[in-house]
Amino acid sequence: SGDVVIGPYHSTLPDIGPRQEFPRKLVFSPLSRSDMLRLFEEGYRDTASWLKAGGQKDATLELAREQKRSQPSSSSSVLIREGWATLLK
C-alpha cells in the first residue's frame, strides 16, 4: 500500500478523491480539452483541501483498504470486477 491513495473512483477508497465519483464512461471516452481541464482543476482542489485539512491518512479508509486487501482474490478478479462495474454504469 502507498502512503496516500489518490483516485477518481470510490471503489479504491482514496484519501484524495472527488466527493462525487466521476462517470466510469470516461475510461473509454476521449475527453475534450475543457473536460480535461475540469478534471485537473477538481483534482487540484481535492488535493489542496486534503492538505489544508492536515494531509493525514484517514484511519477508517486505511482499515477498510486493509480488510479489502485481506479478502482472497487475484489481481485478475479485481480487474474483472472493476471492468464490469465500468461497463454496467
Side-chain angles (χ1 to χ4, degrees), residues 73-87:
S73 66
S74 67
S75 59
S76 60
S77 67
V78 172
L79 181 60
I80 291 168
R81 187 171 51 247
E82 287 297 313
W84 275 113
T86 300
L87 291 172

Side-chain angles (χ1 to χ4, degrees), residues 17 23 25 32 35-36 38 43 45 49 57-58 60 70 75 79-81 86 89:
K25 68 180 181 179
S32 67
D35 287 338
M36 185 63 75
R38 181 179 150 245
R45 282 193 295 270
S49 295
K57 292 175 76 170
D58 184 324
T60 304
S70 69
S75 59
L79 181 60
I80 291 168
R81 187 171 51 247
T86 300
K89 282 196 174 193

Side-chain angles (χ1 to χ4, degrees), residues 28-76:
F28 299 110
S29 301
L31 297 174
S32 67
R33 285 180 183 234
S34 61
D35 287 338
M36 185 63 75
L37 179 60
R38 181 179 150 245
L39 288 173
F40 175 81
E41 288 174 342
E42 287 192 27
Y44 181 89
R45 282 193 295 270
D46 291 337
T47 303
S49 295
W50 181 77
L51 289 170
K52 188 176 181 179
Q56 298 296 315
K57 292 175 76 170
D58 184 324
T60 304
L61 287 175
E62 188 61 29
L63 179 60
R65 284 192 291 264
E66 189 61 42
Q67 290 172 342
K68 198 173 189 180
R69 280 191 295 270
S70 69
Q71 295 173 356
S73 66
S74 67
S75 59
S76 60

